[in-house]
Amino acid sequence: MNRELLLRFENLVQLRGACRQLRALSSRKVCGAPWKPVQFSAHPMGSLLLQPQLWQKDTSVSAALSQCRHLATKEETKKKKKKIPLTRGEVEIRQKMTVEELAQAMGKDIDHIYEVLLYTDINLDSIEPDSILHEDHIKMIVQKSGMKYKSAKLKEEKERKNTDAVKRQVVSYPAVLTPRPPVVTILGHVDHGKTTLLDSLRKTQVALMEAGGITQHIGAFLVHMPSGEKITFLDTPGHAAFSAMRARGTNVTDIVILVVAAEDGVMQQTIESIQHAKNAGVPLILAINKCDKPEADPERVKKELLAHDVVCEEFGGDVQAVNISALKGENLMVLAEATVALAEMLELKADATGPVEGTVIESRKDKGKGPLTTAIIQRGTLRKGCVLVAGKTWAKVRFLFDENGKAVDAASPGIPVEIMCWKESPSAGDENLEVESEQRAQEVVAWRSYVEEQEKMKKDLEVIEAKQKEHRLEYEKKQQKLSHLTWRQRKAALYKANKHVMFSRPKERAEMDENTLSLIVKGDVDGSVEAILNILDSYDCEDECKLDVVYFGMGDISENDISLAEAFNGVILGFSVKANESIKKLADRKGIKIKLHNIIYKLIEDLKDELNSRLPPTVVESTVGEASVLDTFSVTAGKNKIPVAGCRVHKGLLDRKMKFKLIRNKDVIWKGCLSSLKYHKDDVQVIKTGMDCGLSLDKNLEFSIGDEIICYEEKEVRQTTSWDPGF
């Protein structure tokens, strides 16, 4: 009996040891093929338990154990070493890292960075993947992610050498100076006859070809006088939208001819033109136009100009005044002679040798010729083969054209010329400078692009720092409100408040914002695009509808413009450009609006109509009838007492189908519908002026004698934008 108990006890001990070994074996990490348990066919479990030595000495078990120990190969050992480096969890950071760069350095996705930023003072509405993060925020994000940071070794950037091209220093050697034609700018109010005057001088029909009868581009023309002299004329637009063009014209001119209509007198753009001439320090010649009309009064014009410091010679000043009729050609030679005489007094000369210097008057794109610029040469002589730099582009000149489109070989100082073979279109007003070679031109363009990029980065950082400071103050205020909570409660409250932000990325929020009008602006020349953008800059009704210019450029409407408008759900504005039939069909198929105009004020009117269509309608109340409460009483309906007002209609009528409001002491205390309207004891639909009635409201509200009952209807009225572009 004792022997059987002893054997059972030994079997239990052996079973416990076997279980322990099995647990240890199963808990091991086996890399490769899974370990297969050995089948002990020769030794059943019962006999195995009775023989404890067999378990420990079984060769199959020991083979399995050795297999488990030696499955790890050398390659897997190397992988393990790579996964667990000595600098585990360290992130190399540097200043001015973007959200995307930080996510890559941490080995995380961008959503992880957004999630961590929920617990900071940063406003996620202003954060994009390419947004630059402050160094303190970078360190905080790394720490909250359970990692350590180390600063990257900053490479000392050598100061970049200035490779810009500049004008020559002005050195006056009489031997090299030669007379040049005067550059004369014609300024004045819209429709005062500037282009017609120039037309008559050069015997062309420019005015008849212009849309709406107004000049909308700056033009440069060389006019040959009968006496042999040459005058370069600049014809600038008079419309209010083209102020920048007029200012640019006076910056390259020698003389300004101020055109004023004799019957209209001094107008808004007349005053602006005088100011442009004063700012540029350019002498004036007054041309009083339309003197052939019966209502013309030249003397009144001269007197009005006195208020703007334009004093004619007959009043003791130095401004020549010529009465002309541009349409009939009267006194035009007198005006030309006055211009030549003033030019002789100014002794206009220039150096026709050395590197070329000039100014871009206008820039445009031509389908066959590519980017073209109209320029006036100020120093040197421009020839084929010259390498020019203007703004951030350059050209090796292969073709030159005069104002009539005729090819020329050279252009001397004071001569307007059209230049072909630009890499990109320069901006109007840029300086044309000749450089030694194409390589030198590329260096100049690279330097100017670098300088612009640095300035932009500096401005962006200033804006970012200002926003971060603002958000930090907001964050501190929020933290003060939560100061009585524990840190866990604060984090929970912040997460709950910002949870919706995490699941809405900035791009998605932009797509959801329907109250935004995205614009693609295309123009025929650079000056037209500039004028339109200047008008759009005056838009100040962001609270009504946001205006966003996503792209602007020159040339006809293309498929890229359609794709861009589709992506942003935008509208294409085209000024003096075309859209072929295939483009129009593509736009119709995709539901894209293309608005093409040749007159700038009509384009702006169309834009305002588009803005108006984006505004939600407003509800306007129109009064139908008015009544006054003469007496009050109540009627019992079941267990309830209903207040009733005895009224008399003194204006219009009361219609039970419409809405009503109760006014007491000039305050509206109720709005709604009537529950009953009676004339004597009969229910009626309408009570007219002069009739008495009894009425009750859909709300148990006590009446007072003297209350006013107003019957009104609501109508939806289309809103109009309050934006005023100035014309």
Side-chain angles (χ1 to χ4, degrees):
M1 186 69 179
N2 292 334
R3 183 175 178 82
E4 289 178 2
L5 290 172
L6 182 62
L7 286 172
R8 288 180 181 177
F9 179 76
E10 287 178 352
N11 289 341
L12 290 172
V13 172
Q14 185 61 42
L15 180 61
R16 182 183 179 188
C19 291
R20 283 182 177 179
Q21 292 189 37
L22 286 171
R23 281 198 301 270
L25 187 62
S26 63
S27 64
R28 295 195 180 202
K29 291 182 179 179
V30 181
C31 303
W35 176 81
K36 296 180 180 179
V38 180
Q39 298 293 333
F40 301 101
S41 58
H43 303 280
M45 183 57 71
S47 62
L48 177 64
L49 294 174
L50 293 173
Q51 303 292 332
Q53 292 182 357
L54 291 176
W55 176 266
Q56 297 173 2
K57 294 181 180 180
D58 192 278
T59 55
S60 299
V61 175
S62 59
L65 291 173
S66 65
Q67 179 188 8
C68 182
R69 284 195 299 270
H70 298 291
L71 277 176
T73 63
K74 290 182 179 180
E75 291 181 1
E76 289 164 343
T77 306
K78 289 179 182 178
K79 288 181 181 178
K80 285 184 179 181
K81 288 182 179 179
K82 287 182 181 177
K83 286 182 180 178
I84 310 175
L86 294 174
T87 58
R88 183 180 181 183
E90 282 194 351
V91 180
E92 195 174 74
I93 65 171
R94 66 179 188 280
Q95 292 182 348
K96 302 178 184 178
M97 287 185 81
T98 64
V99 174
E100 192 171 6
E101 289 172 347
L102 180 58
Q104 291 175 356
M106 295 173 61
K108 304 283 187 180
D109 57 8
I110 294 178
D111 285 337
H112 172 80
I113 306 298
Y114 278 106
E115 214 168 317
V116 178
L117 290 175
L118 283 174
Y119 303 102
T120 68
D121 59 335
I122 298 177
N123 183 8
L124 293 188
D125 291 336
S126 62
I127 296 295
E128 295 280 357
D130 58 350
S131 299
I132 298 174
L133 294 171
H134 194 272
E135 188 177 2
D136 293 340
H137 293 138
I138 294 172
K139 292 177 181 179
M140 182 272 301
I141 291 169
V142 174
Q143 288 176 337
K144 284 188 177 292
S145 301
M147 299 180 181
K148 296 181 180 179
Y149 61 84
K150 63 177 181 180
S151 298
K153 293 182 180 178
L154 299 175
K155 295 180 181 179
E156 294 183 2
E157 187 176 349
K158 294 182 180 178
E159 187 176 349
R160 192 163 176 175
K161 185 180 178 182
N162 189 336
T163 57
D164 199 6
V166 294
K167 283 186 175 182
R168 291 179 287 167
Q169 292 183 352
V170 179
V171 180
S172 299
Y173 294 109
V176 298
L177 296 179
T178 56
R180 65 170 178 82
V183 179
V184 180
T185 300
I186 299 179
L187 297 178
H189 192 74
V190 62
D191 198 31
H192 275 202
K194 300 183 298 299
T195 307
T196 306
L197 168 60
L198 193 59
D199 249 6
S200 300
L201 286 171
R202 63 179 196 141
K203 304 301 180 183
T204 59
Q205 296 297 319
V206 176
L208 296 179
M209 295 184 291
E210 289 174 347
I214 60 173
T215 301
Q216 300 176 110
H217 304 107
I218 188 169
F221 311 96
L222 186 66
V223 176
H224 297 265
M225 306 303 297
S227 56
E229 289 89 354
K230 297 178 183 178
I231 302 177
T232 296
F233 281 100
L234 298 183
D235 180 26
T236 60
H239 196 274
F242 298 97
S243 176
M245 286 189 183
R246 291 191 291 276
R248 188 159 57 245
T250 55
N251 289 336
V252 295
T253 194
D254 303 309
I255 300 170
V256 167
I257 294 181
L258 181 65
V259 179
V260 184
E263 83 278 19
D264 290 341
V266 176
M267 305 292 281
Q268 183 179 354
Q269 272 73 60
T270 310
I271 300 169
E272 183 194 291
S273 300
I274 295 169
Q275 194 60 46
H276 285 320
K278 287 182 179 179
N279 294 339
V282 180
L284 279 171
I285 295 177
L286 176 61
I288 304 176
N289 194 21
K290 303 183 181 181
C291 288
D292 55 313
K293 290 191 173 183
E295 62 272 21
D297 189 356
E299 294 302 318
R300 179 174 66 89
V301 173
K302 296 175 185 178
K303 291 177 182 178
E304 287 178 355
L305 288 171
L306 291 173
H308 304 285
D309 296 330
V310 177
V311 184
C312 298
E313 290 178 338
E314 60 189 83
F315 295 127
D318 56 355
V319 176
Q320 300 180 74
V322 182
N323 297 340
I324 65 170
S325 172
L327 188 64
K328 295 184 177 181
E330 296 176 359
N331 285 343
L332 296 188
M333 286 300 103
V334 177
L335 179 63
E337 289 171 3
T339 305
V340 172
L342 182 57
E344 289 176 355
M345 291 177 60
L346 296 174
E347 296 182 353
L348 301 173
K349 295 183 178 181
D351 182 3
T353 63
V356 175
E357 296 175 6
T359 301
V360 177
I361 299 299
E362 193 54 274
S363 175
R364 66 185 179 92
K365 282 186 178 179
D366 187 272
K367 282 187 177 180
K369 299 177 181 178
L372 294 172
T373 61
T374 301
I376 288 184
I377 308 304
Q378 293 162 317
R379 297 181 72 179
T381 302
L382 181 62
R383 294 183 175 86
K384 294 179 182 179
C386 291
V387 180
L388 296 179
V389 174
K392 293 186 294 178
T393 186
W394 62 279
K396 186 171 183 179
V397 181
R398 299 189 185 278
F399 299 99
L400 297 172
F401 305 95
D402 62 11
E403 71 273 12
N404 298 315
K406 184 180 178 182
V408 295
D409 295 326
S412 56
I415 303 296
V417 66
E418 197 169 48
I419 304 170
M420 187 174 162
C421 298
W422 291 95
K423 300 298 178 184
E424 299 289 340
S425 295
S427 298
D430 285 345
E431 291 180 344
N432 274 333
L433 299 177
E434 184 182 0
V435 293
E436 301 85 3
S437 62
E438 295 181 29
Q439 182 180 356
R440 173 74 178 119
Q442 292 171 359
E443 287 179 359
V444 174
V445 171
W447 167 259
R448 292 179 177 180
S449 300
Y450 169 76
V451 170
E452 185 181 23
E453 184 181 346
Q454 294 299 311
E455 290 176 354
K456 183 178 182 299
M457 187 180 297
K458 185 178 178 181
K459 290 179 181 178
D460 289 345
L461 284 175
E462 290 175 356
V463 173
I464 289 169
E465 289 176 359
K467 284 187 176 180
Q468 287 178 343
K469 184 178 180 181
E470 180 184 344
H471 297 322
R472 187 179 293 277
L473 293 173
E474 291 179 4
Y475 176 75
E476 289 175 355
K477 290 179 180 178
K478 290 179 181 177
Q479 290 293 93
Q480 289 176 358
K481 293 179 181 178
L482 304 174
S483 58
H484 63 284
L485 303 175
T486 64
W487 70 271
R488 288 185 183 276
Q489 292 172 332
R490 282 200 300 271
K491 294 300 181 186
L494 285 172
Y495 179 79
K496 187 177 180 181
N498 298 320
K499 187 177 179 181
H500 67 285
V501 181
M502 183 176 65
F503 298 105
S504 177
R505 294 278 76 86
K507 289 183 180 178
E508 295 172 4
R509 289 194 299 274
E511 292 174 0
M512 292 167 59
D513 191 0
E514 297 179 355
N515 199 28
T516 300
L517 176 58
S518 299
L519 296 177
I520 291 89
V521 179
K522 297 296 288 289
D524 56 341
V525 297
D526 185 71
S528 300
V529 177
E530 177 191 26
I532 294 170
L533 294 179
N534 286 341
I535 295 171
L536 297 180
D537 284 341
S538 69
Y539 185 75
D540 55 358
C541 302
E542 296 289 334
D543 55 331
E544 297 175 353
C545 180
K546 294 180 181 178
L547 202 60
D548 184 20
V549 179
V550 297
Y551 176 76
F552 60 87
M554 292 179 289
D556 291 340
I557 310 301
S558 64
E559 288 188 17
N560 290 336
D561 301 326
I562 301 295
S563 301
L564 200 59
E566 183 184 20
F568 285 89
N569 191 24
V571 175
I572 299 175
L573 293 181
F575 180 75
S576 295
V577 296
K578 298 177 181 178
N580 57 40
E581 289 301 320
S582 61
I583 293 296
K584 290 180 179 178
K585 289 179 181 178
L586 179 63
D588 289 339
R589 192 163 60 249
K590 295 188 175 182
I592 304 300
K593 294 181 182 178
I594 301 178
K595 299 179 180 294
L596 302 179
H597 292 278
N598 293 326
I599 303 173
I600 195 161
Y601 61 80
K602 289 188 177 180
L603 182 141
I604 300 303
E605 287 175 1
D606 203 347
L607 174 60
K608 290 177 72 174
D609 289 340
E610 182 64 29
L611 286 168
N612 294 338
S613 67
R614 301 281 179 122
L615 301 179
T618 56
V619 178
V620 177
E621 296 179 357
S622 60
T623 302
V624 177
E626 298 178 4
S628 56
V629 178
L630 303 178
D631 198 2
T632 62
F633 50 93
S634 60
V635 176
T636 303
K639 296 182 179 180
N640 300 323
K641 287 188 176 182
I642 301 174
V644 176
C647 304
R648 177 171 293 167
V649 180
H650 55 79
K651 184 178 180 181
L653 56 86
L654 304 186
D655 189 341
R656 186 174 175 180
K657 291 181 180 179
M658 295 184 181
K659 293 186 177 182
F660 291 79
K661 55 186 174 182
L662 178 63
I663 299 176
R664 182 176 298 162
N665 298 326
K666 298 182 180 180
D667 295 328
V668 178
I669 61 173
W670 169 84
K671 278 187 176 184
C673 299
L674 298 182
S675 60
S676 67
L677 180 63
K678 292 191 176 186
Y679 180 69
H680 298 300
K681 294 183 179 181
D682 299 327
D683 289 324
V684 293
Q685 188 68 38
V686 176
I687 299 292
K688 297 181 180 180
T689 304
M691 297 176 65
D692 294 336
C693 65
L695 57 86
S696 59
L697 312 179
D698 59 1
K699 181 181 179 181
N700 285 339
L701 191 67
E702 295 292 336
F703 294 99
S704 295
I705 296 174
D707 288 349
E708 292 289 327
I709 304 292
I710 306 295
C711 175
Y712 67 94
E713 62 177 345
E714 294 180 340
K715 293 181 180 179
E716 286 191 350
V717 179
R718 181 183 174 186
Q719 285 194 76
T720 57
T721 179
S722 57
W723 174 43
D724 182 13
F727 56 87

